[in-house]
Amino acid sequence: MPGKRNTPDEDAPVVYRFRLKDGVGAASFMADTKAVELTEAEPQFDTTDRLIAGGLRGLDFLEEVAD
Amino acid sequence: MPLVEGNSRLIYAGKQTAKGTPNLTPTVVFPLSGDGALNPNREIITLPETDNNTQRSDSVVVGASPAGGWTGWLRTSQMQMLSEGIMGSIATAPAGTHTATPTKALPYYTMFDVIPGVQVTRYDDARFSSLGLSGESLQGIQYSVEAVALSALLNAVEPTLALPTDLKHSYPLIKVTIGGVQPKTHDAFDITVNRNVTILRGDGGLAAFDSHAGLFEVSGTLRKIYQNDDDYNRIHGGSATATVLTTTIFAESLSILSEESATLSVEFLSSGIEYTAIAVPVSVDGSPILQTLTFNTRRQATWSNNLSIITKFP
C-alpha cells in the first residue's frame, strides 16, 4: 500500500506520510485538533493515526508517498 | 466621561496552532458593516421551587455559549482567513492563488471583540460556523459570518493592527457563471456555507470542552432576469422543452466570482448545484419579472467539488 511503511517489528507504528503535490506552494489544514502548515521548505507531514491519514487522503493538494 | 461613538467596533482574529493555545497576536482585523458582535452569552434560567410566595424565582447561570457574528464588505485581503476558517484547509498553488477546500475538522481562532480603548473581550478556541456572501445590483458585496467559541475573557489586552485599505467589492465586479456560461442576467445572489457547529460542554465550568462541525451545507438563491420559461422547465422537467414532470433534480455547475483584477478575486465554485425551487412572481405594477431560484450544492465523490473558495491575493 503506498505510503504505508511496515517494519519487521510488528509493534512499530505504521507511518503514513503525505507531502504537498508539485506546484502547491503552501497549505494549511487541520489534523486532529492541530493546525498543520506545510511550505515548500517543509512540504511533508507524517502521522501514525490511521483516521487522520484517512482524512488527509481527501485533500487534493496532498499526495501520500511511500517511504 | 466621554461618550463612545457607535461606529468604532472591530473584530480581530488570529489562527491558533491548536485548541487551548490562544493566539494573542491576531493577523486580520474586520471592520463591521452593520450590527455585529461576539457575546459571552451566559445561559440564564430560573430554578422554580415551592414556597409560600408568588415572587419570581431568582436567576441562575447554567453555562455560557460564547458566540456571535458580524457582517462586513467583501475584501480579498480578508478572504484567506474566512475561507480557511469555514472550509478547514487552504492550499496555495500557484503563488497568489489560495484554494480553500472542506475538511471535517475546522481550525481554531482567537477572536477579539473590541470597542477601541473601552471594551475588549477575547474569545478562545473559536470556530467559524457559517459564512455567507450576498450581493445585489447597485449594492456592495457583503459577507456574514457566525463564530462559536469555547470560552470568553473580559478586559483583555487590546490588539493593534492597521485597518484594511483594499477595495470593498461591489456588484459590478460580480460574474455569475452557471453550467459554464455567464448569461449576465443574474441580478442578485446569496450563498451560505453552514458547518452546523455544535458545542460539547463537559464539566469545565463556563468554558466548553470542544466544538464539533456537523453537516456541511451550502445553500443560496439566485435572482435572475426572467426572459423565458427555460429555467422553469429545466427545474421541473429536466430540459427546456420538457412537457412532463421529472423525478430528477436538475443540477449544473456554479461559479460566483468577484474580481477586481486578474490577481485579486474571490470565487465560490461548485461542480454541481441542485435547484429545489423556482419562483416566478407577479408584479402588479407592471415591472419585469425577476425569478428567484433556490439551490443547494450536491454531494460529490470528491468533497472539494461540492464547494471550494478560491481567493487570489498576492
Side-chain angles (χ1 to χ4, degrees):
Chain A
M1 180 187 291
K4 190 172 175 182
R5 188 176 64 184
N6 278 315
T7 63
D9 180 359
E10 293 208 340
D11 293 333
V14 176
V15 177
Y16 303 91
R17 178 160 293 171
F18 294 84
R19 56 170 291 128
L20 292 179
K21 281 185 182 168
D22 285 346
V24 180
S28 64
F29 54 89
M30 291 295 287
D32 200 4
T33 62
K34 301 277 195 302
V36 179
E37 315 273 350
L38 298 183
T39 61
E40 279 175 307
E42 199 164 337
Q44 193 164 294
F45 178 76
D46 289 353
T47 179
T48 55
D49 187 313
R50 189 175 55 84
L51 289 175
I52 291 177
L56 297 182
R57 288 192 188 104
L59 299 178
D60 56 8
F61 50 83
L62 288 181
E63 58 189 2
E64 195 169 0
V65 290
D67 189 34
Chain B
M1 291 288 284
L3 302 179
V4 181
E5 67 276 14
N7 65 343
S8 62
R9 196 175 204 124
L10 298 168
I11 306 281
Y12 293 74
K15 188 179 166 187
Q16 298 181 189
T17 55
K19 188 182 80 157
T21 311
N23 179 353
L24 303 184
T25 52
T27 51
V28 178
V29 54
F30 297 96
L32 313 188
S33 63
D35 196 19
L38 298 167
N39 293 305
N41 291 339
R42 287 181 311 148
E43 307 278 0
I44 298 173
I45 64 171
T46 59
L47 302 176
E49 60 187 355
T50 54
D51 65 358
N52 188 18
N53 205 311
T54 54
Q55 296 179 77
R56 175 189 178 277
S57 298
D58 288 334
S59 299
V60 178
V61 175
V62 292
S65 305
W70 70 91
T71 57
W73 303 115
L74 177 67
R75 283 186 163 98
T76 51
S77 65
Q78 301 175 335
M79 278 306 290
Q80 278 179 71
M81 175 178 283
L82 292 177
S83 62
E84 182 185 6
I86 197 66
M87 302 293 271
S89 69
I90 195 164
T92 302
T97 301
H98 316 282
T99 303
T101 50
T103 54
K104 281 185 188 171
L106 297 176
Y108 297 97
Y109 293 84
T110 302
M111 298 182 183
F112 295 80
D113 180 323
V114 175
I115 299 174
V118 184
Q119 177 183 313
V120 183
T121 312
R122 195 181 93 197
Y123 294 87
D124 292 351
D125 304 315
R127 280 173 152 161
F128 290 101
S129 61
S130 80
L131 170 68
L133 191 70
S134 63
E136 179 175 9
S137 53
L138 296 178
Q139 300 290 332
I141 308 301
Q142 202 166 45
Y143 72 84
S144 60
V145 296
E146 298 286 334
V148 173
L150 301 186
S151 62
L153 185 77
L154 307 174
N155 277 309
V157 177
E158 184 175 335
T160 51
L161 267 182
L163 289 167
T165 55
D166 58 326
L167 183 72
K168 290 175 275 190
H169 284 204
S170 58
Y171 206 77
L173 304 182
I174 292 289
K175 288 178 185 152
V176 179
T177 304
I178 50 166
V181 179
Q182 185 202 357
K184 299 185 179 177
T185 52
H186 290 93
D187 200 44
F189 72 90
D190 72 77
I191 184 167
T192 301
V193 185
N194 196 340
R195 298 303 304 254
N196 292 302
V197 175
T198 52
I199 291 288
L200 300 155
R201 294 178 188 279
D203 59 352
L206 292 182
F209 176 72
D210 204 352
S211 57
H212 179 260
L215 293 179
F216 178 82
E217 293 178 329
V218 183
S219 59
T221 58
L222 299 170
R223 195 174 75 207
K224 203 172 172 187
I225 297 167
Y226 182 84
Q227 293 174 293
N228 53 47
D229 62 355
D230 284 0
D231 286 321
Y232 179 84
N233 291 333
R234 278 191 201 108
I235 289 168
H236 292 306
S239 75
T241 56
T243 56
V244 293
L245 298 182
T246 177
T247 55
T248 305
I249 299 284
F250 181 67
E252 57 190 353
S253 65
L254 171 72
S255 157
I256 298 174
L257 172 67
S258 189
E259 185 177 51
E260 50 180 297
S261 73
T263 55
L264 292 168
S265 64
V266 176
E267 181 180 19
F268 282 59
L269 181 65
S270 173
S271 299
I273 58 167
E274 51 187 31
Y275 294 103
T276 52
I278 178 168
V280 182
V282 169
S283 312
V284 289
D285 60 2
S287 58
I289 296 174
L290 296 169
Q291 57 183 350
T292 302
L293 292 78
T294 306
F295 66 88
N296 51 260
T297 56
R298 282 179 87 87
R299 286 178 73 96
Q300 303 285 343
T302 301
W303 195 359
S304 57
N305 291 338
N306 185 311
L307 184 78
S308 55
I309 303 175
I310 302 146
T311 303
K312 289 190 180 176
F313 186 74

